[in-house]
Amino acid sequence: MASTACFVIVSKNDIPIYEAEVGSAPKKEDLAHQHQFILHAALDVVQDLAWTTNAMFLRSVDRFSDLVVSVYVTAVHTRFMLLHDSRSDDGIKSFFQEVHELYIKIFLNPLYLPGSRITSSHFDTKVRALARKYL
Amino acid sequence: MDPLRSYLGRLLLEEITPVVMVLTTPLAEAACKKSGLSFVDMLSPFSLFKKIDVPVRTASEVPYRLQMFKIRMVYASDVRKEDYEVADEKIKPVVSEADEKALPDLLSGPPQLEDVLGKPEAELCPLWIKKFNRELMRTLSFSEHETFDHPVACLLVVSSMDKEPISKFVDLFNTNQLPSLLNEGIMDPQILKHYLVLHDQQEGPQDIAVNVLAEMRSTLGSNDCKLLCINSSTEADGSNADNSWLPYKALGLNNHEGTCFLSMDDLNEVLQHLVYIMCVPFPLRFAGGTNAKEGKLCCSVIFLALDHYSSVLPLLIKDFMQDFASNHIIPYMEQKIRVLNQQVATTRKGFRNQIKNLWYTFTSIESQIRVLGDFAFMLRDYELALSNYRLLATDYKLDKAWKRFAGVQEMSGLCYSMLDQSRKDAEYCMENAFSTYLRIGSSGQRSATRCGLWWAEMLKTRGQYREASSVYFRISNEEPSLHSAVLLEQAASCYLLSSPPMLRKYGFHLILAGNSYYMSDQKKHAVRTYRNALFVYKQNPWSYINDHVHFNVGRWYGVLGILDVAIKHLLEVIACSHQSLSTQNMFLNDFFHYVQSMGKKFDVHKLQLPVFNMSSLRVVHEDHRTYASDADVDVSESTWQELEEELIPSSSVVRTNWLDTQPKSSLRKFKDSSVCVAGEAVKVNVELKNPLQIPVDVSGISLICQLSTNLDALSSDVSGLTLDGGKDQVNIEPSVSIFETNADNFIVSQLDIILRGGESKRVQLDVTPKVEGVLKLVGIRWTLSNSVVGYQYFEFDAQKKNKKGKKGRRRPFNNNLVVIKGLPKLSGSIEHMPTKAFAGDLQLLKLNLRNHSEFAVKGIKMKISNPRFLIPGDSSDIGLEFSHCLKKQKQSVVSSKSMKENFKGLLFVFPQDIEIQAGATLSWPIWFHAATPGNVSLYISLYYEMENSSDIKYRTLRMHYSVEVLPSLDISFAISMSSSRLQEYIVRMDVVNKTPSESFVLHQLSCVGSKWAISALTSCSSISSVETVSANQAVSCFFKIKDFEADSCKEAGSGSYRSDIALHPGTSGDVFDVARAPLADFHFQERYRQGKLAKGPCSLLDFVLISKAAGNSSKPSPDLQLLSHHTCHCSARNQSPVWWLMEGPRTITHDFSKSCCEVSIQLVIHNSAEHRSSVRVATFDAMPEKSQTVHPHDSTSVQGGWYDVSLENDIKTISSAKSTHHEKQYSKSISPYVWCSLSSAQIDLQPDSCSRVPLKVCIFAPGTYNFSNYELQWKVHPSKRAQVNEDVNGPSGGGPGHPFYVTVLQSV
């Protein structure tokens, strides 16, 4: 498991709708904003890259010192962004794909307003379990 | 674009140029000092030649013309490698100087997106940054591995005042004093020498100098010797001299960077003239304002200076320099190139130098190639330079001399770039150089930085801004924080310049730069960068980013002493619920720190701490509706309206026609606006929440109100205000102070609370208007921690109103209230109203009404929503002691009747003569009975009228109580018919105590109505064993009840039976009267309610069980608590409308020898149905074959009718009468008796009547006979109306006869 990993789902309006620190390293408060900064800045790169390929998984799109940003873009341009320091591309891909399935389930919930924050604790647990499995 | 004209080309022209080493004598230097300059400074402005236009021929045969040229003048003492620390110290002022200039900018608002995107590149990358870049590169000057800093020529300067100038020249170029680099063999000491004699005109006539020059020419060679005269101006001394240098200094050009400045050409033009003037008085050449006329920088100071010294030069510095460059340096370099080229060609053509060089001196072939390359580069023969660099690269690579290799790669990259040929090659070279520098460790770091700077410039020239920014970012990692900050800022600006602009990257890199600035103690720069990034993060939902940016900007502004801006930014972060406790603490502490250092309270609109939940806002004002407590307001208006329908006079709800949905009230003139009464508080409920984990002290929470007394003018305004109010406030947002004035018109309550972490509280704020007028609720004001005043206006959205305007809307929120004259008001409460009670609890309570006003009120009426729970008592009840008044008394009938009159249909009218005088209190008894378990809401509305009031004729007082009724005793009754008596029933009462700890004493069981008598079964008369039902216990008791009024049972004596039975021994006389006021009324309600639930058509009787709470085992309850349970509509199980019974003698003695025995029996049939029914009775002689009861061999035996009758069979037959019905089978055997009077009969029975059918049986032998060999069919005929509705006839049924045993004995 990666020691640092920050997973964020960004809606198509560039609003983070789900955030989770899934790394094994103990969470440090002062890193929270750094992670957000890196991920936020990486959106600029994703914006360009997303239209150059048909693939949903864009691999690592940006890096900051030893942290890498991997991105997965869904059909409605919701972006799954993972900031990580590990290298397993396959694991990250599977992670994204399974999270996508979970996300679709959230999306199908008639009570969920698309683009609003995902507050489901079930989703949260599942994502964390997937992170433990693949990252 | 021509690479030479680009910024990079310009940079290379100015930075990679021939170096001239200058050696001066002290006297010469002293002469220059008179004008405040060193010799090098004096010459530097003239070392750039914009249009030198010299033909150059290097290795190739084709000459080309050189246009722009620059030489660097450097003192010999400076020809050495500087320490990084010292060099870095030199850079610092460049940054901090710009720091000073940044301050005024910081006071203005932060830039917006449009401003930034519209900015030209020059502004994004200001001059000081370019200067910084140059300085950073210059820290590497005279490095070992490069040769372009090696002096090309040497300028030896001697003053004309020096003794023996010729020997001075020799001394100057003494190898001992030469820079170590030359001595150590790194640089070639065999360089071009040029001799100059400097003559100070003030020291003496020019002749001396001329003589010296002639001497020099004879000894040192005629070409290389020159004379320069300075300080010719007679006035250029003392204060005048200072003044004359002012413009020069003002332009910041008193060091050699001057030439680097923007619009160099024009500036140089002007400056050169200036220097002439400084130096020269002779009227040889005129250099007035004419030459400077086209200067774009025509600052008036310069012109002033020109006018003042309108004089001319003998030998111009400019001319000297031009001559020096074009006639000496360039030819020398040309020649050197040709020689070196020849050398290299021959060496390379031979065999390669196989001996690995550990260090390279100027004599080594590699160094010579390098010199060749660099000279070619400086003379802009990039092709030649490149070929040599490439040659070198392979050599150095083989030698593993990585630093040199990288240096060569860097230069080839630049060559490629200047040739504008292969971008890929250029990039490859730069990348290669960069990574090689990095690989060799700390010694290559700065070189890597310089290489990166070139590289980035190269990329920028080609418009590859994204790549450039990543290069800047890479080099920023290698530098100390101050340098890295400037580099990061450049990276940010590159992101902005890329297309499309990458704003988020721009913001992020600015933030990074800001952090570095802060770390290197450049606070103003830090604030500036953060501030520039603000627009990227404006209204950003990325919470941590937002907090970080605003907190730091705020904090740094605070450090700089710009407190108002600091607080403005800190306000953005103080409501950060997602941060940890320590961070929240830090944010809040800083905020309060700066607020306190402001030294005054200040107002903040929409302060986020605490958060006022405006959607929870509720205004409570009392017009004709008044409320007993604040909780009552939350009850929906429709509930009250429904309750009050009969209560309030119909005149006020008259509608002119059916289209009028709104009832017209007497307050019509105020239109839709709400009304409140002067002197009565208007309450505003609002919820406030502390989003932090830290306790927050909020004081002085109060309403902001306006009261205008001019009612007439405003009555028309009211509607206008309500519509536009919201808009006005949003636009104008008046400061709070406006509303502080009119305190004599109304009183506003102040509230101080402390909100714990994460807590939300509902608070109630009051405003009490004192005079009539229009009261406008404007907003809320509060003080946070005694230092910040927050305020928020109520927002009334017009659109929202329209949406709500549909059916079933809530009362729209209206901030304008019409204040009317003071009115009498009653306040009321029920004393000791329980909030928790056990089911069945019966209590006598007191309703207290108090009149606070000066006027009496009258015509009091009351309506109670749930009479099962509350029933108003009689005025006589008030004095009575509870529970005694319920006991049986003689004169009980009268009072109950009067009660029913008063309390008809939930409405209770107080006696007409009751008036509540001013200040008086009225108490009225009210009975409470907890009828069913559950949470029950009780609504009471009290109506009263008042005299002498014009606007409002009446008011209502609304009270609301909710009671939690806990289950206590669960009581059920099972009634079964007595098998022997028609009108008697056995009752089984099951009592289950459902409480966990309470126990109850059963006191009394009563049947309601005089028709029924109840008695204990004789067998279990000692009921005392079950008198107390303790927790969780279940008890069953059996009783017998008897119907008095049934005609068949009339004969039974009524004396011994009563409708009540005391269950508690010793209290037999002490029974409660269930027919009296409260119990009877409650029973009436229960009966009505339970009747609604009961489905069956026929009901038999109602029971009332009265018990007393005995408390739990640990503490017996001191006060007597009475519980009454009402169970209504009990009826016998499995009851069919028609039932019958055989009557007759049970034992007969007969002499069979004489005749057969004839027994007369009667069948009694009862119809309990509500309708007429017909019954058919048929007797059979055939015996039903039942193996259990009848033994076939017995029937044919001699003994005749004798057989065994077991009791179990009997019982079973009764209990399973229905099931046997289906297994009816007839045997062929003949029964031992014969029906003799009739075989069938048809009887019509009226409802609730009895009929007897006489029957006769003939018996032939003694024995015990069961005369059940008959069948009954009955059918109920429903009333005619019912028959029309449904085809089906009424219920019908039938059954075999009940067993009736008769024993016949042979008479002796």
Side-chain angles (χ1 to χ4, degrees), chain B residues 188-202:
Chain B
D188 189 358
Q190 299 298 315
I191 51 173
L192 175 73
K193 291 192 191 72
H194 203 71
Y195 305 97
L196 181 71
V197 58
L198 199 66
H199 178 65
D200 187 344
Q201 298 277 353
Q202 292 173 349

Side-chain angles (χ1 to χ4, degrees), chain B residues 484-624:
Chain B
S484 116
V486 185
L487 293 170
L488 282 169
E489 202 179 336
Q490 294 181 70
S493 65
C494 282
Y495 277 119
L496 193 66
L497 288 167
S498 67
S499 85
M502 299 173 85
L503 292 176
R504 285 172 281 227
K505 286 270 182 191
Y506 169 70
F508 180 40
H509 285 84
L510 276 184
I511 297 296
L512 288 172
N515 258 332
S516 294
Y517 275 129
Y518 185 73
M519 279 192 284
S520 46
D521 208 32
Q522 299 284 340
K523 293 207 176 58
K524 280 175 204 154
H525 278 302
V527 175
R528 182 178 55 80
T529 46
Y530 264 66
R531 214 182 58 122
N532 286 349
L534 272 180
F535 77 90
V536 179
Y537 302 111
K538 207 161 110 190
Q539 268 145 26
N540 190 301
W542 296 66
S543 47
Y544 286 103
I545 292 180
N546 238 358
D547 288 350
H548 175 85
V549 173
H550 282 294
F551 174 65
N552 282 322
V553 173
R555 202 170 47 146
W556 295 338
Y557 265 115
V559 170
L560 293 177
I562 310 170
L563 292 176
D564 49 341
V565 187
I567 290 164
K568 202 181 93 193
H569 283 288
L570 284 171
L571 273 173
E572 302 271 335
V573 299
I574 54 168
C576 51
S577 50
H578 51 275
Q579 296 280 11
S580 74
L581 181 65
S582 57
T583 316
Q584 291 179 358
N585 246 325
M586 186 171 72
F587 286 0
L588 217 58
N589 284 343
D590 273 27
F591 176 67
F592 285 130
H593 170 73
Y594 291 127
V595 166
Q596 271 148 24
S597 35
M598 275 284 272
K600 55 168 185 177
K601 283 191 183 181
F602 71 111
D603 307 336
V604 180
H605 183 230
K606 288 194 172 174
L607 180 64
Q608 286 300 301
L609 199 68
V611 179
F612 278 79
N613 183 359
M614 281 304 175
S615 62
S616 73
L617 189 74
R618 237 185 107 82
V619 179
V620 180
H621 57 94
E622 299 182 328
D623 38 19
H624 63 276

Side-chain angles (χ1 to χ4, degrees), chain B residues 1198-1228:
Chain B
V1198 195
Q1199 277 107 334
W1202 287 114
Y1203 58 88
D1204 188 34
V1205 177
S1206 65
L1207 195 60
E1208 297 123 61
N1209 281 345
D1210 189 11
I1211 291 166
K1212 199 163 186 180
T1213 326
I1214 294 173
S1215 63
S1216 60
K1218 235 180 187 173
S1219 61
T1220 51
H1221 174 81
H1222 300 288
E1223 354 171 313
K1224 216 188 290 174
Q1225 268 188 334
Y1226 295 100
S1227 72
K1228 296 266 164 71

Side-chain angles (χ1 to χ4, degrees), chain A residues 8 10 14-16 19 27 29 32-33 36-45 47-48 62 64-65 81, chain B residues 466 473 500-506 508 511-512 536-537 540-545 548-549 579-580 582-583:
Chain A
V8 175
V10 183
D14 295 345
I15 297 168
E19 289 165 86
K27 196 188 168 187
E29 175 109 27
H33 71 259
Q36 280 203 347
F37 268 122
I38 298 168
L39 290 167
H40 182 254
L43 283 177
D44 266 336
V45 185
Q47 195 177 314
D48 290 354
D62 200 7
F64 181 81
S65 57
M81 306 181 81
Chain B
R466 274 175 71 171
F473 182 76
M502 299 173 85
L503 292 176
R504 285 172 281 227
K505 286 270 182 191
Y506 169 70
F508 180 40
I511 297 296
L512 288 172
V536 179
Y537 302 111
N540 190 301
W542 296 66
S543 47
Y544 286 103
I545 292 180
H548 175 85
V549 173
Q579 296 280 11
S580 74
S582 57
T583 316

